[in-house]
Each structure stands twice: as C-alpha cells, then as structure tokens.
Amino acid sequence: QVQLVESGGGQVQVGGSLKLSCSVSANNYRLATIGWYRQAPGKEREAVATLDTRLGSLYYAESVKGRFTFVGESGTNVLHLQMNSLKPEDTATYYCALHPPGLNFWGRGTQVTVSS
C-alpha cells in the first residue's frame, strides 16, 4: 500500500522560510513522478516541484524557481520542500504526491500560511 504523510506546515511572515517533509511508504513504485503540489482557496491544484524518476528530471513552477528546493533525503523514503523568501501568494495547502504510470496517490496535505 502507498502512504504519504506531510509535515512542517505552519504560519510564517513574508520573507520567511519553511521546510516541508513527506514520508513515503511505497516500496513497489520506483518508476514514478513524485513531488509537491499546492492548492490555494478557489484555485486549482498546481505542481510546485516534482521529480520524474524515470527521466531524472526535476520540474519547478515558474513562480517558485530560485526560492523553493526539492530535496531527497539520501537512504530514506523522505523528501522535503525547502521554501525560502515566502510570499503571501504561496499560501496554500501543500500536498505530497506519487504518480506511477496510470495511478495517483496523495497525502492529506499541510497548510502553509504566509502573512504580511
């Protein structure tokens, strides 16, 4: 079975930093896209930072380039999203996700609120 558990959300002021973590239990899915998405109130869910493990390619949304970093913790099934220089528009629920071919697995999400 697949389980994704996020942690590390919270409230931070503009310009601050947060580090999200996702513990992944999915030993049978090695060729997949994995990463972080977010959904703000009234908006569609969007990809923030994802890794295609088949191609080895890393994607960042244009709005977070240079501020967010996708970090894989070596030797563990934990991945992180380091978020720096946070802006009010980064306020959203952040989800960890695993997408093997034809499948979609999501964590429950963690709230990030950036206040000015």
Side-chain angles (χ1 to χ4, degrees), residues 16-110:
S17 298
L18 280 174
K19 186 176 183 179
L20 305 183
S21 299
C22 175
S23 176
V24 182
S25 299
N27 293 330
N28 294 325
Y29 298 103
R30 296 185 178 181
L31 299 178
T33 295
I34 188 166
W36 295 92
Y37 295 72
R38 68 185 180 187
Q39 187 167 18
K43 295 188 176 181
E44 293 187 354
R45 191 171 297 187
E46 63 173 346
V48 176
T50 62
L51 172 67
D52 186 328
T53 63
R54 293 165 292 177
L55 301 176
S57 61
L58 192 57
Y59 163 84
Y60 288 102
E62 196 64 34
S63 59
V64 307
K65 281 183 180 178
R67 301 188 298 120
F68 289 13
T69 304
F70 182 110
V71 180
E73 191 171 312
S74 180
T76 73
N77 287 338
V78 178
L79 57 98
H80 305 282
L81 183 67
Q82 177 65 50
M83 305 186 296
N84 299 327
S85 302
L86 283 161
K87 304 175 180 180
E89 52 263 43
D90 295 318
T91 295
T93 301
Y94 284 71
Y95 298 90
C96 181
L98 177 68
H99 304 306
L103 298 172
N104 294 293
F105 299 103
W106 298 91
R108 291 189 174 186
T110 185

Coordinates of all heavy atoms in Angstrom, one line a residue, residues 16-110:
G16 N 10.0 34.8 5.1 CA 10.5 33.7 5.9 C 10.6 32.4 5.2 O 10.5 32.4 4.0
S17 N 11.0 31.4 5.9 CA 11.2 30.1 5.4 C 10.5 29.0 6.1 O 10.2 29.1 7.3 CB 12.7 29.8 5.4 OG 13.5 30.7 4.7
L18 N 10.2 27.9 5.4 CA 9.6 26.7 6.0 C 10.2 25.5 5.2 O 10.5 25.6 4.0 CB 8.1 26.7 5.8 CG 7.2 27.5 6.8 CD1 5.8 27.4 6.4 CD2 7.4 27.0 8.2
K19 N 10.3 24.4 5.9 CA 10.7 23.2 5.3 C 9.6 22.1 5.5 O 9.4 21.7 6.6 CB 12.0 22.7 5.9 CG 12.6 21.5 5.2 CD 14.0 21.1 5.8 CE 14.7 20.0 5.0 NZ 16.0 19.7 5.6
L20 N 9.1 21.7 4.4 CA 8.1 20.6 4.4 C 8.7 19.3 4.3 O 9.8 19.2 3.6 CB 7.0 20.8 3.3 CG 6.3 22.2 3.3 CD1 5.3 22.2 2.2 CD2 5.7 22.5 4.6
S21 N 8.1 18.3 4.9 CA 8.7 16.9 4.8 C 7.5 16.0 4.4 O 6.4 16.2 4.7 CB 9.3 16.5 6.1 OG 10.3 17.3 6.5
C22 N 7.9 14.9 3.7 CA 6.9 13.9 3.3 C 7.6 12.6 3.5 O 8.6 12.3 2.9 CB 6.5 14.1 1.8 SG 5.4 12.8 1.2
S23 N 6.9 11.8 4.3 CA 7.4 10.4 4.5 C 6.6 9.5 3.5 O 5.4 9.5 3.5 CB 7.1 10.0 5.9 OG 7.4 8.6 6.1
V24 N 7.3 8.7 2.7 CA 6.7 8.0 1.6 C 6.8 6.5 1.9 O 8.0 6.0 2.1 CB 7.4 8.3 0.3 CG1 6.7 7.5 -0.8 CG2 7.3 9.8 0.0
S25 N 5.7 5.8 2.0 CA 5.7 4.3 2.1 C 5.2 3.8 0.8 O 3.9 3.8 0.6 CB 4.9 3.9 3.3 OG 5.4 4.4 4.5
A26 N 6.1 3.4 -0.1 CA 5.6 3.0 -1.5 C 6.7 2.2 -2.1 O 7.2 2.6 -3.2 CB 5.2 4.2 -2.3
N27 N 7.1 1.1 -1.5 CA 8.3 0.4 -2.0 C 8.1 -0.2 -3.3 O 9.1 -0.6 -4.0 CB 8.6 -0.7 -1.0 CG 9.1 -0.1 0.4 OD1 9.7 1.0 0.4 ND2 8.9 -0.8 1.4
N28 N 6.9 -0.4 -3.8 CA 6.7 -1.1 -5.1 C 6.7 -0.2 -6.3 O 6.5 -0.7 -7.4 CB 5.5 -2.0 -5.0 CG 5.6 -3.1 -4.1 OD1 6.7 -3.7 -3.9 ND2 4.5 -3.5 -3.4
Y29 N 6.8 1.1 -6.0 CA 6.6 2.0 -7.1 C 7.9 2.8 -7.3 O 8.1 3.8 -6.6 CB 5.5 3.0 -6.9 CG 4.1 2.3 -6.8 CD1 3.5 2.0 -5.6 CD2 3.5 1.8 -7.9 CE1 2.3 1.4 -5.5 CE2 2.3 1.2 -7.9 CZ 1.7 0.9 -6.6 OH 0.5 0.3 -6.6
R30 N 8.8 2.4 -8.1 CA 10.1 3.0 -8.3 C 10.1 3.9 -9.5 O 10.9 4.9 -9.5 CB 11.2 2.0 -8.4 CG 11.3 1.1 -7.2 CD 12.4 0.1 -7.3 NE 12.6 -0.7 -6.1 CZ 13.5 -1.6 -5.9 NH1 14.4 -1.8 -6.8 NH2 13.6 -2.2 -4.7
L31 N 9.3 3.7 -10.5 CA 9.3 4.5 -11.7 C 8.1 5.4 -11.7 O 7.0 5.0 -12.1 CB 9.4 3.6 -12.9 CG 10.6 2.7 -13.1 CD1 10.5 1.9 -14.3 CD2 11.9 3.6 -13.0
A32 N 8.3 6.5 -11.1 CA 7.1 7.4 -10.9 C 7.5 8.8 -10.8 O 8.7 9.1 -10.7 CB 6.4 7.0 -9.6
T33 N 6.6 9.7 -10.9 CA 6.8 11.1 -10.6 C 6.4 11.3 -9.2 O 5.3 10.9 -8.8 CB 5.9 12.0 -11.6 OG1 6.4 11.8 -12.9 CG2 6.1 13.4 -11.2
I34 N 7.2 12.0 -8.5 CA 7.0 12.3 -7.1 C 7.3 13.7 -6.8 O 8.2 14.3 -7.4 CB 7.8 11.3 -6.2 CG1 7.4 11.5 -4.7 CG2 9.3 11.6 -6.3 CD1 7.9 10.4 -3.8
G35 N 6.5 14.3 -5.9 CA 6.8 15.7 -5.6 C 5.7 16.4 -4.8 O 4.9 15.8 -4.2
W36 N 5.8 17.7 -5.0 CA 4.9 18.6 -4.2 C 4.0 19.4 -5.1 O 4.4 19.9 -6.2 CB 5.8 19.6 -3.5 CG 6.6 18.9 -2.4 CD1 7.9 18.5 -2.6 CD2 6.3 18.6 -1.1 NE1 8.3 17.9 -1.4 CE2 7.4 18.0 -0.5 CE3 5.1 18.8 -0.3 CZ2 7.3 17.5 0.9 CZ3 5.1 18.4 1.0 CH2 6.2 17.8 1.6
Y37 N 2.7 19.5 -4.6 CA 1.7 20.3 -5.3 C 1.1 21.2 -4.2 O 1.3 21.0 -3.0 CB 0.6 19.4 -5.9 CG 1.1 18.5 -7.0 CD1 1.9 17.4 -6.7 CD2 0.7 18.7 -8.3 CE1 2.4 16.5 -7.7 CE2 1.1 17.8 -9.3 CZ 1.9 16.8 -9.0 OH 2.4 16.0 -10.0
R38 N 0.3 22.2 -4.7 CA -0.3 23.0 -3.8 C -1.7 23.5 -4.3 O -1.9 23.5 -5.5 CB 0.5 24.3 -3.4 CG 0.7 25.3 -4.5 CD 1.7 26.4 -4.1 NE 1.9 27.4 -5.1 CZ 2.8 28.3 -5.1 NH1 3.5 28.5 -4.0 NH2 2.9 29.2 -6.1
Q39 N -2.6 23.8 -3.4 CA -3.9 24.3 -3.8 C -4.3 25.5 -2.9 O -4.4 25.3 -1.6 CB -4.9 23.2 -3.8 CG -6.3 23.6 -4.3 CD -7.2 22.5 -4.6 OE1 -7.0 21.4 -4.1 NE2 -8.2 22.7 -5.4
A40 N -4.5 26.6 -3.5 CA -4.9 27.8 -2.7 C -6.5 27.8 -2.8 O -7.1 27.3 -3.7 CB -4.3 29.0 -3.3
P41 N -7.1 28.5 -1.8 CA -8.6 28.6 -1.8 C -9.1 29.2 -3.2 O -8.6 30.2 -3.6 CB -8.9 29.5 -0.7 CG -7.7 29.4 0.2 CD -6.5 29.1 -0.6
G42 N -10.0 28.5 -3.8 CA -10.6 29.0 -5.0 C -9.8 28.8 -6.2 O -10.1 29.2 -7.3
K43 N -8.7 28.1 -6.1 CA -7.8 27.8 -7.2 C -7.6 26.3 -7.5 O -7.8 25.5 -6.6 CB -6.4 28.5 -7.0 CG -6.5 30.0 -7.0 CD -5.1 30.6 -7.0 CE -5.2 32.2 -7.0 NZ -3.8 32.8 -7.1
E44 N -7.1 26.0 -8.6 CA -6.9 24.6 -9.0 C -5.5 24.2 -8.3 O -4.7 25.0 -8.1 CB -6.8 24.4 -10.5 CG -8.2 24.6 -11.2 CD -8.1 24.2 -12.6 OE1 -7.0 23.9 -13.1 OE2 -9.2 24.2 -13.3
R45 N -5.4 22.9 -8.1 CA -4.2 22.3 -7.6 C -3.1 22.5 -8.7 O -3.4 22.2 -9.9 CB -4.4 20.9 -7.2 CG -3.2 20.3 -6.4 CD -3.6 18.9 -5.9 NE -4.7 19.0 -4.9 CZ -5.1 17.9 -4.2 NH1 -4.5 16.8 -4.3 NH2 -6.1 18.1 -3.4
E46 N -1.9 22.9 -8.3 CA -0.8 23.0 -9.2 C 0.4 22.3 -8.8 O 0.7 22.2 -7.6 CB -0.5 24.5 -9.4 CG 0.0 25.2 -8.2 CD 0.4 26.7 -8.5 OE1 0.6 27.1 -9.7 OE2 0.6 27.4 -7.5
A47 N 1.2 21.9 -9.7 CA 2.5 21.3 -9.4 C 3.5 22.4 -9.0 O 3.6 23.5 -9.6 CB 3.1 20.6 -10.6
V48 N 4.2 22.2 -7.9 CA 5.2 23.1 -7.4 C 6.6 22.6 -7.7 O 7.4 23.4 -8.3 CB 5.0 23.3 -5.9 CG1 6.1 24.2 -5.3 CG2 3.7 23.8 -5.5
A49 N 6.9 21.4 -7.3 CA 8.3 20.9 -7.5 C 8.1 19.3 -7.6 O 7.7 18.7 -6.7 CB 9.2 21.2 -6.4
T50 N 8.5 18.8 -8.8 CA 8.3 17.3 -9.0 C 9.5 16.7 -9.6 O 10.2 17.4 -10.4 CB 7.1 17.0 -9.8 OG1 7.2 17.6 -11.1 CG2 5.8 17.6 -9.2
L51 N 9.7 15.5 -9.3 CA 10.8 14.7 -9.9 C 10.3 13.5 -10.7 O 9.5 12.7 -10.1 CB 11.7 14.2 -8.8 CG 12.9 13.3 -9.2 CD1 13.9 14.0 -10.1 CD2 13.5 12.6 -7.9
D52 N 10.7 13.4 -11.9 CA 10.3 12.3 -12.7 C 11.5 11.3 -12.6 O 12.6 11.5 -13.1 CB 10.2 12.7 -14.2 CG 9.7 11.5 -15.1 OD1 10.1 10.4 -14.8 OD2 9.0 11.8 -16.0
T53 N 11.3 10.2 -11.8 CA 12.3 9.3 -11.5 C 12.7 8.5 -12.7 O 13.8 7.9 -12.7 CB 12.0 8.4 -10.3 OG1 10.8 7.6 -10.7 CG2 11.6 9.2 -9.1
R54 N 11.9 8.4 -13.7 CA 12.2 7.6 -14.9 C 13.2 8.4 -15.8 O 14.2 7.9 -16.3 CB 11.0 7.3 -15.8 CG 10.0 6.4 -15.1 CD 8.7 6.4 -15.8 NE 8.0 7.6 -15.6 CZ 6.8 8.0 -16.1 NH1 6.2 7.1 -16.9 NH2 6.3 9.1 -15.8
L55 N 13.0 9.7 -15.9 CA 13.9 10.6 -16.7 C 15.0 11.3 -15.9 O 15.9 11.8 -16.4 CB 13.0 11.6 -17.4 CG 11.9 11.1 -18.3 CD1 11.1 12.3 -18.9 CD2 12.5 10.3 -19.5
G56 N 14.8 11.3 -14.6 CA 15.7 12.0 -13.7 C 15.6 13.5 -13.8 O 16.5 14.3 -13.6
S57 N 14.4 14.0 -14.3 CA 14.2 15.4 -14.5 C 13.4 16.0 -13.4 O 12.5 15.5 -12.8 CB 13.5 15.6 -15.8 OG 12.3 15.0 -15.8
L58 N 13.8 17.2 -13.0 CA 13.2 18.0 -11.9 C 12.5 19.2 -12.5 O 13.0 19.9 -13.3 CB 14.3 18.4 -10.9 CG 13.9 19.0 -9.6 CD1 13.1 18.0 -8.8 CD2 15.1 19.3 -8.8
Y59 N 11.2 19.4 -12.0 CA 10.4 20.5 -12.5 C 10.1 21.4 -11.3 O 9.8 21.0 -10.2 CB 9.1 19.9 -13.1 CG 8.0 21.0 -13.2 CD1 8.0 21.8 -14.3 CD2 7.1 21.2 -12.2 CE1 7.0 22.8 -14.5 CE2 6.1 22.2 -12.3 CZ 6.1 23.0 -13.4 OH 5.1 24.0 -13.5
Y60 N 10.2 22.7 -11.6 CA 9.8 23.7 -10.7 C 8.8 24.6 -11.4 O 9.0 25.0 -12.5 CB 10.9 24.6 -10.2 CG 11.8 23.9 -9.2 CD1 13.1 23.4 -9.6 CD2 11.5 23.7 -7.9 CE1 13.9 22.8 -8.8 CE2 12.4 23.1 -7.0 CZ 13.6 22.6 -7.4 OH 14.4 22.0 -6.6
A61 N 7.7 25.0 -10.7 CA 6.8 26.0 -11.2 C 7.6 27.3 -11.3 O 8.5 27.6 -10.5 CB 5.6 26.2 -10.3
E62 N 7.3 28.1 -12.3 CA 8.0 29.3 -12.6 C 7.9 30.2 -11.4 O 8.9 31.0 -11.0 CB 7.4 30.0 -13.8 CG 8.2 31.1 -14.4 CD 9.5 30.6 -14.9 OE1 9.6 29.5 -15.4 OE2 10.5 31.4 -14.8
S63 N 6.8 30.2 -10.7 CA 6.6 31.1 -9.5 C 7.4 30.8 -8.3 O 7.5 31.7 -7.4 CB 5.1 31.1 -9.1 OG 4.7 29.8 -8.7
V64 N 8.0 29.6 -8.3 CA 8.8 29.3 -7.1 C 10.3 29.1 -7.4 O 11.1 28.8 -6.5 CB 8.3 28.0 -6.4 CG1 6.8 28.1 -6.1 CG2 8.6 26.7 -7.3
K65 N 10.7 29.2 -8.7 CA 12.1 29.0 -9.1 C 13.0 30.0 -8.4 O 12.7 31.1 -8.3 CB 12.2 29.2 -10.6 CG 11.8 28.0 -11.4 CD 12.0 28.2 -12.9 CE 11.6 27.0 -13.7 NZ 11.8 27.2 -15.2
G66 N 14.1 29.4 -7.8 CA 15.0 30.2 -7.1 C 14.7 30.4 -5.6 O 15.5 30.9 -4.9
R67 N 13.5 30.0 -5.3 CA 13.0 30.2 -3.9 C 12.8 28.8 -3.2 O 13.0 28.7 -2.0 CB 11.8 31.0 -3.8 CG 11.9 32.4 -4.4 CD 10.7 33.2 -4.1 NE 9.5 32.7 -4.7 CZ 8.4 32.3 -4.0 NH1 8.3 32.4 -2.7 NH2 7.3 31.8 -4.6
F68 N 12.3 27.8 -3.9 CA 11.9 26.5 -3.4 C 12.9 25.5 -3.9 O 13.4 25.6 -5.1 CB 10.5 26.1 -3.8 CG 9.4 26.9 -3.2 CD1 9.6 28.0 -2.5 CD2 8.1 26.4 -3.3 CE1 8.6 28.7 -1.9 CE2 7.1 27.1 -2.7 CZ 7.3 28.3 -2.0
T69 N 13.2 24.5 -3.1 CA 14.2 23.5 -3.5 C 13.6 22.1 -3.1 O 13.2 21.9 -1.9 CB 15.5 23.6 -2.8 OG1 16.1 24.9 -3.1 CG2 16.5 22.6 -3.3
F70 N 13.5 21.2 -4.0 CA 13.1 19.8 -3.8 C 14.3 19.1 -3.3 O 15.4 19.1 -3.9 CB 12.6 19.2 -5.1 CG 12.1 17.8 -5.0 CD1 10.8 17.6 -5.2 CD2 13.0 16.8 -4.8 CE1 10.3 16.3 -5.1 CE2 12.5 15.5 -4.8 CZ 11.2 15.2 -4.9
V71 N 14.2 18.4 -2.1 CA 15.3 17.7 -1.5 C 14.9 16.3 -1.2 O 13.9 16.1 -0.5 CB 15.8 18.4 -0.2 CG1 17.0 17.7 0.4 CG2 16.1 19.9 -0.5
G72 N 15.7 15.4 -1.7 CA 15.5 14.0 -1.4 C 16.5 13.6 -0.3 O 17.7 13.9 -0.5
E73 N 16.0 12.9 0.7 CA 16.9 12.6 1.8 C 17.5 11.2 1.5 O 16.8 10.2 1.4 CB 16.1 12.5 3.1 CG 16.9 12.4 4.4 CD 16.1 12.6 5.6 OE1 15.3 13.5 5.7 OE2 16.2 11.7 6.5
S74 N 18.8 11.2 1.3 CA 19.5 10.0 0.8 C 19.4 8.8 1.8 O 19.5 9.0 3.0 CB 21.0 10.3 0.7 OG 21.7 9.2 0.2
G75 N 19.0 7.7 1.2 CA 18.9 6.5 2.1 C 17.6 6.3 2.8 O 17.4 5.4 3.5
T76 N 16.7 7.2 2.6 CA 15.4 7.2 3.3 C 14.3 7.4 2.2 O 14.5 7.7 1.1 CB 15.3 8.2 4.4 OG1 15.1 9.5 3.7 CG2 16.5 8.3 5.2
N77 N 13.1 7.2 2.7 CA 11.9 7.5 1.8 C 11.3 8.8 2.3 O 10.1 8.9 2.5 CB 10.9 6.3 1.9 CG 11.4 5.1 1.2 OD1 12.2 5.2 0.3 ND2 10.9 3.9 1.5
V78 N 12.1 9.8 2.5 CA 11.6 11.1 2.9 C 12.1 12.1 1.9 O 13.3 12.1 1.5 CB 12.2 11.4 4.3 CG1 11.7 12.8 4.7 CG2 11.8 10.4 5.4
L79 N 11.2 12.9 1.5 CA 11.5 14.1 0.7 C 11.1 15.4 1.3 O 10.2 15.4 2.2 CB 11.0 13.9 -0.7 CG 9.4 13.7 -0.8 CD1 8.8 15.0 -1.2 CD2 9.1 12.7 -1.9
H80 N 11.7 16.4 0.9 CA 11.5 17.7 1.6 C 11.2 18.8 0.5 O 11.6 18.6 -0.7 CB 12.7 18.2 2.4 CG 13.1 17.2 3.4 ND1 12.4 17.0 4.6 CD2 14.1 16.3 3.4 CE1 13.0 16.1 5.3 NE2 14.1 15.6 4.6
L81 N 10.6 19.8 0.9 CA 10.5 21.0 0.1 C 11.0 22.2 1.0 O 10.3 22.6 1.9 CB 9.0 21.3 -0.4 CG 8.8 22.5 -1.3 CD1 9.5 22.2 -2.6 CD2 7.4 22.7 -1.5
Q82 N 12.1 22.7 0.6 CA 12.7 23.9 1.3 C 12.1 25.1 0.7 O 12.3 25.3 -0.5 CB 14.2 23.9 1.3 CG 14.8 25.1 1.9 CD 14.6 25.1 3.4 OE1 14.8 24.2 4.1 NE2 14.1 26.3 3.9
M83 N 11.4 25.9 1.4 CA 10.8 27.1 0.9 C 11.4 28.3 1.5 O 11.3 28.5 2.7 CB 9.3 27.0 1.1 CG 8.6 25.8 0.6 SD 6.8 25.8 0.8 CE 6.6 25.8 2.5
N84 N 12.0 29.2 0.7 CA 12.6 30.4 1.2 C 11.9 31.6 0.6 O 11.2 31.5 -0.4 CB 14.1 30.4 0.9 CG 14.8 29.3 1.5 OD1 14.5 28.9 2.6 ND2 15.9 28.8 0.8
S85 N 12.1 32.8 1.1 CA 11.6 34.0 0.6 C 10.1 33.9 0.3 O 9.6 34.3 -0.8 CB 12.3 34.4 -0.7 OG 13.7 34.6 -0.4
L86 N 9.4 33.4 1.3 CA 8.0 33.1 1.1 C 7.2 34.4 0.9 O 7.5 35.5 1.4 CB 7.4 32.4 2.3 CG 7.8 30.9 2.3 CD1 7.7 30.3 3.6 CD2 7.0 30.1 1.2
K87 N 6.1 34.3 0.0 CA 5.3 35.4 -0.4 C 3.8 35.1 0.0 O 3.5 33.9 0.2 CB 5.3 35.6 -1.9 CG 6.7 35.9 -2.4 CD 6.7 36.0 -3.9 CE 8.1 36.2 -4.5 NZ 8.1 36.4 -6.0
P88 N 3.0 36.1 0.2 CA 1.6 35.8 0.5 C 0.9 34.8 -0.5 O 0.1 34.0 -0.1 CB 0.9 37.2 0.5 CG 2.1 38.1 0.8 CD 3.3 37.5 0.2
E89 N 1.3 34.9 -1.8 CA 0.7 34.1 -2.8 C 1.2 32.6 -2.7 O 0.7 31.8 -3.4 CB 1.0 34.6 -4.2 CG 2.5 34.9 -4.5 CD 2.8 36.4 -4.2 OE1 2.3 37.0 -3.2 OE2 3.6 36.9 -5.1
D90 N 2.1 32.3 -1.8 CA 2.5 31.0 -1.5 C 1.5 30.3 -0.5 O 1.6 29.1 -0.3 CB 3.9 30.9 -1.0 CG 4.9 31.3 -2.0 OD1 4.8 31.0 -3.2 OD2 5.9 32.1 -1.6
T91 N 0.6 31.0 0.0 CA -0.3 30.5 1.0 C -1.2 29.5 0.3 O -1.8 29.7 -0.8 CB -1.2 31.6 1.6 OG1 -0.4 32.5 2.3 CG2 -2.3 31.0 2.4
A92 N -1.2 28.2 0.8 CA -2.0 27.1 0.2 C -1.8 25.9 1.1 O -1.0 25.9 2.0 CB -1.4 26.8 -1.2
T93 N -2.6 24.9 0.7 CA -2.4 23.6 1.3 C -1.4 22.9 0.3 O -1.6 22.8 -0.9 CB -3.7 22.8 1.4 OG1 -4.6 23.5 2.2 CG2 -3.4 21.4 2.0
Y94 N -0.3 22.3 0.9 CA 0.7 21.7 0.1 C 0.5 20.2 0.3 O 0.4 19.6 1.4 CB 2.1 22.1 0.6 CG 2.4 23.5 0.1 CD1 1.8 24.6 0.6 CD2 3.4 23.7 -0.9 CE1 2.1 25.9 0.2 CE2 3.7 25.0 -1.4 CZ 3.0 26.1 -0.8 OH 3.3 27.3 -1.3
Y95 N 0.6 19.5 -0.9 CA 0.4 18.0 -0.9 C 1.6 17.4 -1.5 O 2.2 17.8 -2.4 CB -0.8 17.7 -1.8 CG -2.1 18.2 -1.3 CD1 -2.5 19.5 -1.8 CD2 -2.9 17.5 -0.5 CE1 -3.8 20.0 -1.3 CE2 -4.1 18.0 -0.1 CZ -4.5 19.2 -0.5 OH -5.8 19.7 -0.1
C96 N 2.0 16.2 -0.9 CA 3.0 15.3 -1.4 C 2.2 14.3 -2.3 O 1.1 13.9 -1.9 CB 3.7 14.6 -0.2 SG 4.9 13.5 -0.7
A97 N 2.8 14.0 -3.4 CA 2.1 13.1 -4.3 C 3.1 12.1 -5.0 O 4.2 12.4 -5.2 CB 1.4 13.9 -5.4
L98 N 2.5 10.9 -5.3 CA 3.3 9.9 -6.1 C 2.4 9.5 -7.2 O 1.2 9.1 -7.1 CB 3.6 8.7 -5.1 CG 4.3 7.5 -5.8 CD1 5.7 7.9 -6.1 CD2 4.3 6.3 -4.8
H99 N 3.0 9.6 -8.4 CA 2.3 9.2 -9.6 C 3.0 8.1 -10.4 O 3.8 8.4 -11.3 CB 2.1 10.5 -10.5 CG 1.4 11.6 -9.8 ND1 0.2 11.5 -9.2 CD2 1.8 12.9 -9.6 CE1 -0.1 12.7 -8.7 NE2 0.8 13.5 -8.9
P100 N 2.7 6.9 -10.1 CA 3.2 5.8 -11.0 C 2.4 5.9 -12.3 O 1.3 6.5 -12.3 CB 2.9 4.5 -10.2 CG 2.7 5.0 -8.8 CD 2.1 6.3 -8.9
P101 N 2.8 5.3 -13.4 CA 2.0 5.3 -14.6 C 0.6 4.9 -14.4 O 0.3 3.8 -13.9 CB 2.8 4.3 -15.5 CG 4.2 4.4 -15.0 CD 4.1 4.6 -13.5
G102 N -0.4 5.7 -14.7 CA -1.8 5.4 -14.5 C -2.4 5.5 -13.2 O -3.6 5.2 -13.0
L103 N -1.6 5.9 -12.2 CA -2.1 5.9 -10.8 C -1.7 7.3 -10.2 O -0.8 8.0 -10.6 CB -1.4 4.8 -10.0 CG -1.7 3.4 -10.4 CD1 -0.8 2.4 -9.6 CD2 -3.2 3.0 -10.2
N104 N -2.5 7.6 -9.1 CA -2.3 8.9 -8.4 C -2.5 8.6 -6.9 O -3.5 8.2 -6.5 CB -3.2 10.0 -8.9 CG -3.0 10.4 -10.3 OD1 -2.0 11.0 -10.6 ND2 -3.9 10.1 -11.2
F105 N -1.5 9.0 -6.2 CA -1.5 8.8 -4.7 C -1.2 10.2 -4.1 O -0.3 10.9 -4.5 CB -0.6 7.8 -4.2 CG -0.8 6.4 -4.7 CD1 0.0 5.9 -5.7 CD2 -1.9 5.6 -4.2 CE1 -0.2 4.6 -6.2 CE2 -2.1 4.4 -4.7 CZ -1.3 3.8 -5.7
W106 N -2.0 10.6 -3.1 CA -1.8 11.9 -2.5 C -1.8 11.8 -1.0 O -2.4 10.9 -0.4 CB -3.0 12.8 -2.8 CG -3.2 13.1 -4.3 CD1 -3.9 12.4 -5.2 CD2 -2.6 14.2 -5.0 NE1 -3.8 12.9 -6.4 CE2 -3.0 14.0 -6.4 CE3 -1.8 15.2 -4.7 CZ2 -2.6 14.9 -7.3 CZ3 -1.4 16.1 -5.7 CH2 -1.8 16.0 -7.0
G107 N -1.0 12.7 -0.4 CA -1.1 12.8 1.1 C -2.3 13.7 1.4 O -3.0 14.2 0.6
R108 N -2.5 13.9 2.7 CA -3.6 14.7 3.2 C -3.3 16.2 3.1 O -4.3 17.0 3.2 CB -4.0 14.3 4.6 CG -4.6 12.9 4.7 CD -5.1 12.6 6.1 NE -5.8 11.3 6.1 CZ -6.5 10.9 7.2 NH1 -6.6 11.6 8.3 NH2 -7.1 9.7 7.1
G109 N -2.1 16.6 3.0 CA -1.8 18.0 2.9 C -1.4 18.6 4.2 O -1.7 18.2 5.3
T110 N -0.6 19.7 4.0 CA -0.2 20.5 5.2 C -0.4 22.0 4.8 O 0.0 22.4 3.7 CB 1.2 20.2 5.6 OG1 1.6 20.9 6.8 CG2 2.3 20.5 4.5

